[in-house]
Amino acid sequence: VPKIEPDKDVPIDKQLTSEHPKDAQPGPSDTKGEPDGIGIANTKDTGKSVLQIIAPPTKPLTWVAQMPQFNGDLTAYIGTHLQYPEAARANNIGGIVRVSFVVNEDGAISNATIVQGIGGGCDDEALRMIKAMPPWKAGKQNGMAVKVLFNLPIKFELRD
């Protein structure tokens, strides 16, 4: 059972303090640490250690402070690059194909998959168009470019 003593009776070297090092810097820094990106940095004047995370996450995030953005007009791009499949046209197939993909740190698209399809060749056409997209503006978290999982509904609609 811990014994609670008045501050005046506890030796200085055993007291806990809540002081922050005067020269500590918030955010990422160039400190050497373990391969997982977590490092221990000693401050110059106080000699106290501060835990700093210095690497972005490796798994795609679903929501970040600055979401990825398509360079230009996404609706116009889809309208000019999406081709209605003949099988879908012949069988009067239409609807929404939901595609999931990752926008990487450099803006490149990867891991495109169909979340919800409608068949008739529409699913394959949606994937083809997504994979052919030019790089996006990367998403950012804490000022660093990160991988972001993005979901995009693509509407296939026959018009007379």
Side-chain angles (χ1 to χ4, degrees):
V1 178
K3 182 180 176 187
I4 300 174
E5 297 180 4
D7 288 345
K8 63 180 180 67
D9 294 340
V10 178
I12 298 275
D13 61 335
K14 304 248 182 199
Q15 292 181 5
L16 296 176
T17 64
S18 61
E19 291 179 25
H20 294 287
K22 294 174 185 155
D23 63 341
Q25 299 294 318
S29 66
D30 290 335
T31 58
K32 295 184 179 182
E34 299 299 319
D36 63 1
I38 298 175
I40 304 289
N42 289 324
T43 58
K44 296 174 188 170
D45 297 332
T46 63
K48 293 183 181 178
S49 295
V50 180
L51 180 65
Q52 296 179 333
I53 299 183
I54 56 176
T58 56
K59 292 182 180 180
L61 303 172
T62 54
W63 186 259
V64 292
Q66 186 178 344
M67 292 297 285
Q69 293 179 341
F70 182 76
N71 288 311
D73 184 350
L74 182 58
T75 303
Y77 177 86
I78 292 171
T80 57
H81 290 84
L82 189 69
Q83 300 169 4
Y84 214 104
E86 285 301 319
R89 187 181 305 277
N91 292 301
N92 202 28
I93 295 173
I96 297 176
V97 175
R98 298 185 194 287
V99 184
S100 175
F101 55 93
V102 174
V103 179
N104 292 312
E105 298 94 339
D106 62 356
I109 304 297
S110 67
N111 300 342
T113 58
I114 299 296
V115 176
Q116 181 182 12
I118 58 173
C122 295
D123 305 350
D124 293 333
E125 176 57 18
L127 279 178
R128 182 202 65 79
M129 186 207 50
I130 294 293
K131 290 177 181 179
M133 280 184 172
W136 288 38
K137 292 177 188 169
K140 292 186 177 182
Q141 185 70 16
N142 296 326
M144 297 169 60
V146 293
K147 294 178 184 178
V148 180
L149 184 64
F150 203 88
N151 293 300
L152 183 66
I154 301 171
K155 187 174 186 178
F156 286 84
E157 181 178 44
L158 286 172
R159 297 184 184 152
D160 296 328

